Amino acid sequence: SQTIHQWPATLVQPVGSPLSLECTVEGTSNPNLYWYRQAAGRGLQLLFYSVGIGQISSEVPQNLSASRPQDRQFILSSKKLLLSDSGFYLCAWSVRRGETQYFGPGTRLLVL
Amino acid sequence: AQKVTQAQTEISVVEKEDVTLDCVYETRDTTYYLFWYKQPPSGELVFLIRRNSFDEQNEISGRYSWNFQKSTSSFNFTITASQVVDSAVYFCALAPYNTDKLIFGTGTRLQVFP
C-alpha cells in the first residue's frame, strides 16, 4: 500500500531564515505530487505541483520554491522566510490528474 | 470562475443527531470531479469520497451519505446518527477537468457533543 511521509512535523523558524520541508511517497511510481498551504482557519491553497522529476508548476507567486530531485521526493524551500509563511503545509500525491489526492500528515510552520 | 462555497462555518450537534454539511460549487466545465475530505484535530486530510460529474447517483457508506445535484451545483454530505469521533473540519473540493488543481472550500467545523 502507498504511504506518504512529511518532515519535520513542526518547525519554528525566525524571519529571514531558510526553509526546507520534505515529502516522500512509498509504494507507487511516478506519482503526481502537490504542496498545499493551509493558513489558520482557512481552506487549502495549492502552491506547487509536479508530474515528474524536475517538472515543477507554480500556482501562487511567492518566496517559496519546490523541487523534485527523485521520483517520489518533493521538497519545499525558501531562502528567507516571512512572517506570512506561517501555516500548515500539506503534501499530497495522486496517480494522475483528476484522481484522488492523498495527503500526508503535514508540517506546522511558525515563523517568528 | 471556479469556486467552492461551504457557507456553514461551524455546526454543533449532540451525539446521535443527523447533520448535513452543504457544498455549492461553480464551474463551466462539463466534466469535473468533486471530493469530500475530513480533517481531524491531528491535521491530516482524510479522503472520504470522489464523484465525477456524470454520476449523479447518491452514495451511502455506513453512516455517511452524499447527495449530488447538478441542477443546483451542490454536493451535500450527511452524517446519520453522529458520533463524537465525527468531530472535525470537513472540506469539499472541486477538480476541474484536465487540470491538476483541487479547489477547496473554506471548510465546515463540526462539533459533536456527547
Side-chain angles (χ1 to χ4, degrees):
Chain A
S1 65
Q2 300 85 10
T3 55
I4 179 168
H5 305 279
Q6 287 186 245
W7 62 89
T10 59
L11 191 60
V12 180
Q13 292 285 94
V15 169
S17 63
L19 173 74
S20 180
L21 304 182
E22 189 165 342
C23 170
T24 58
V25 181
E26 296 177 355
T28 186
S29 295
N30 197 32
N32 283 8
L33 296 172
Y34 309 84
W35 277 112
Y36 288 86
R37 176 169 60 200
Q38 183 179 23
R42 300 179 67 178
L44 282 79
Q45 181 184 42
L46 178 64
L47 301 176
F48 301 95
Y49 66 91
S50 171
V51 299
I53 295 175
Q55 300 178 61
I56 308 295
S57 296
S58 174
E59 284 292 309
V60 181
Q62 62 233 310
N63 71 322
L64 298 171
S65 62
S67 62
R68 185 169 177 174
Q70 299 180 40
D71 181 45
R72 288 169 288 181
Q73 184 184 32
F74 204 22
I75 297 172
L76 183 68
S77 303
S78 174
K79 293 182 179 178
K80 288 186 178 182
L81 283 168
L82 307 173
L83 286 174
S84 57
D85 291 324
S86 293
F88 189 47
Y89 289 82
L90 287 152
C91 180
W93 74 274
S94 70
V95 294
R96 68 180 68 86
R97 174 179 289 173
E99 295 293 331
T100 299
Q101 293 185 21
Y102 297 96
F103 287 79
T107 294
R108 296 193 185 277
L109 171 66
L110 179 60
V111 183
L112 300 175
Chain B
Q2 311 202 72
K3 185 180 176 182
V4 175
T5 301
Q6 294 180 255
Q8 303 152 308
T9 305
E10 188 163 339
I11 300 174
S12 295
V13 298
V14 177
E15 212 169 17
K16 297 184 183 176
E17 284 186 29
D18 298 347
V19 58
T20 295
L21 309 181
D22 298 333
C23 173
V24 174
Y25 62 92
E26 295 176 29
T27 181
R28 292 184 177 180
D29 293 345
T30 54
T31 303
Y32 51 89
Y33 305 92
L34 295 165
F35 302 81
W36 275 95
Y37 287 86
K38 174 182 179 180
Q39 187 176 41
S42 61
E44 182 173 352
L45 262 72
V46 177
F47 164 72
L48 296 177
I49 190 171
R50 171 180 180 267
R51 178 53 51 92
N52 77 58
S53 53
F54 296 107
D55 182 2
E56 288 192 72
Q57 279 193 337
N58 292 332
E59 180 156 340
I60 298 174
S61 176
R63 297 184 296 106
Y64 295 171
S65 63
W66 291 268
N67 183 301
F68 177 28
Q69 292 196 349
K70 287 180 75 170
S71 60
T72 56
S73 297
S74 65
F75 187 40
N76 296 337
F77 173 31
T78 297
I79 301 175
T80 303
S82 59
Q83 301 176 1
V84 173
V85 294
D86 295 327
S87 297
V89 180
Y90 291 86
F91 289 97
C92 180
L94 164 71
Y97 177 66
N98 210 29
T99 73
D100 291 275
K101 183 182 291 192
L102 259 186
I103 300 168
F104 282 86
T106 51
T108 297
R109 181 178 299 277
L110 173 65
Q111 293 194 350
V112 182
F113 294 98

